[in-house]
Amino acid sequence: HTRSFHVTGVQTCALPIYVLKGLALMSVATAALFAQAPAAAPAAAGPSPEEIKDIQAIQQKQVATAADADAKMTMVNQFVAKYPTSTLKGYVLTLGGEAAQAKRDTARARYYYEQGIAADPQNDYAMGMLGAEIAQNTGEHDLDKKDKLTRAEKLAKDAIALIEKRQKQPQEQQAQFDQEKAMDMARAHMTLGLVAMADQKDEAAGNEFLQAAAGDAMNLLRAGMAFNNAKKIDQANAALDRFIGIPGLPDQYKKMAEDEKKRGQQLKNGK
């Protein structure tokens, strides 16, 4: 999915978006099927035509290889150097974060999202993505595990608070605004699910993933896995059946869900 990006009434190209890489409950290939778009960039006070053109070029840069990701991050760095006071700097930095995630460079992804939040404290998308990065890269035995997960949870909750207060822009249709707000809220709940999962709170994780399913159907599979881990087999089966029932679901993903149902049955039987 993509989202149109508006600057002072001028609509530019649709945003190309890349997914969180390496989420704990799915393969990279599976994640790519259900990519979602980030929150729209904040309204800018009269960016120049050259600035808009440079943003479009970054948006249009596709990432299919690690070299593509590096090239896109270079474009982001050049934009920040060229327009250090740009009101769109926070948004552009999130594009760098996505590019870093596309090549599974966690350190650089976190850097870009951190900088995106510093440039735009209202950047709820960067907050959610940074929280997810922290959660999914927190080890069970990390000495600072509690601090990491506390921060990741706060980032997600701060994102939710900002999304709840979001106001429709004049150029947006109400239906589009409502849909995108729901999608962004779902993404924040996915982050909370990842936090709960990293903290071995599997039932809570499952409930968060269910709330996130409206924005990303893969969260139904995540929910099923989390509920199975919590020995909530009936809840797991309900989520997995919803996932299997998605029209046109590729066979490999259907098999993942069916295998997870079998695992749940084994858990139920005490095996």
Side-chain angles (χ1 to χ4, degrees):
H1 300 278
T2 58
R3 173 172 303 172
S4 295
F5 169 50
H6 304 271
V7 178
T8 60
V10 178
Q11 181 175 340
T12 72
C13 59
L15 303 180
I17 300 306
Y18 306 96
V19 301
L20 283 168
K21 296 294 180 175
L23 290 182
L25 293 175
M26 59 193 290
S27 68
V28 174
T30 305
L33 182 68
F34 295 95
Q36 296 295 334
S48 68
E50 184 180 12
E51 188 174 347
I52 294 174
K53 182 179 178 181
D54 288 349
I55 291 174
Q56 287 178 316
I58 298 171
Q59 292 172 335
Q60 292 167 352
K61 176 62 180 176
Q62 299 295 315
V63 176
T65 67
D68 290 337
D70 287 334
K72 188 160 188 170
M73 285 185 276
T74 296
M75 294 171 73
V76 168
N77 296 342
Q78 290 171 342
F79 180 93
V80 172
K82 187 175 180 180
Y83 308 103
T85 61
S86 172
T87 55
L88 300 175
K89 184 168 72 172
Y91 165 71
V92 171
L93 285 162
T94 66
L95 299 180
E98 291 175 341
Q101 285 184 308
K103 65 174 291 188
R104 306 188 73 175
D105 188 336
T106 296
R108 292 178 77 182
R110 289 181 62 172
Y111 167 80
Y112 281 116
Y113 290 131
E114 293 275 16
Q115 292 300 307
I117 295 168
D120 175 15
Q122 305 299 306
N123 194 335
D124 55 79
Y125 176 74
M127 291 176 186
M129 296 294 271
L130 177 58
E133 275 290 320
I134 293 171
Q136 67 187 4
N137 289 288
T138 298
E140 182 178 355
H141 302 295
D142 287 359
L143 295 179
D144 57 350
K145 175 182 175 180
K146 182 178 179 180
D147 291 340
K148 288 179 178 178
L149 296 183
T150 296
R151 184 171 185 228
E153 182 179 24
K154 183 179 186 303
L155 284 163
K157 290 183 175 179
D158 286 350
I160 289 172
L162 288 169
I163 294 166
E164 287 176 339
K165 293 187 294 185
R166 186 182 298 170
Q167 299 295 313
K168 186 176 78 66
Q169 298 301 309
Q171 71 271 15
E172 286 186 288
Q173 297 296 319
Q174 186 66 49
Q176 178 191 20
F177 172 77
D178 292 341
Q179 180 183 33
E180 291 173 355
K181 185 173 180 179
M183 290 275 192
D184 293 340
M185 189 68 76
R187 188 181 298 109
H189 281 290
M190 183 191 74
T191 297
L192 289 175
L194 292 171
V195 170
M197 188 172 65
D199 204 22
Q200 288 80 52
K201 297 177 180 178
D202 294 305
E203 184 175 5
N207 287 324
E208 292 291 350
F209 290 140
L210 284 181
Q211 292 188 70
D216 180 351
M218 279 304 303
N219 285 304
L220 291 171
L221 181 58
R222 294 187 182 105
M225 292 177 172
F227 282 133
N228 270 343
N229 290 342
K231 306 294 178 65
K232 301 294 183 179
I233 310 304
D234 290 343
Q235 290 167 263
N237 285 337
L240 294 168
D241 285 340
R242 284 177 60 193
F243 183 70
I244 291 169
I246 295 172
L249 184 70
D251 289 343
Q252 71 246 46
Y253 306 129
K254 186 176 293 186
K255 185 178 185 303
M256 291 172 64
E258 290 171 345
D259 288 345
E260 186 61 26
K261 289 189 71 172
K262 291 176 183 177
R263 185 174 79 92
Q265 188 60 47
Q266 292 174 342
L267 290 169
K268 190 173 184 178
N269 294 339
K271 294 181 179 180

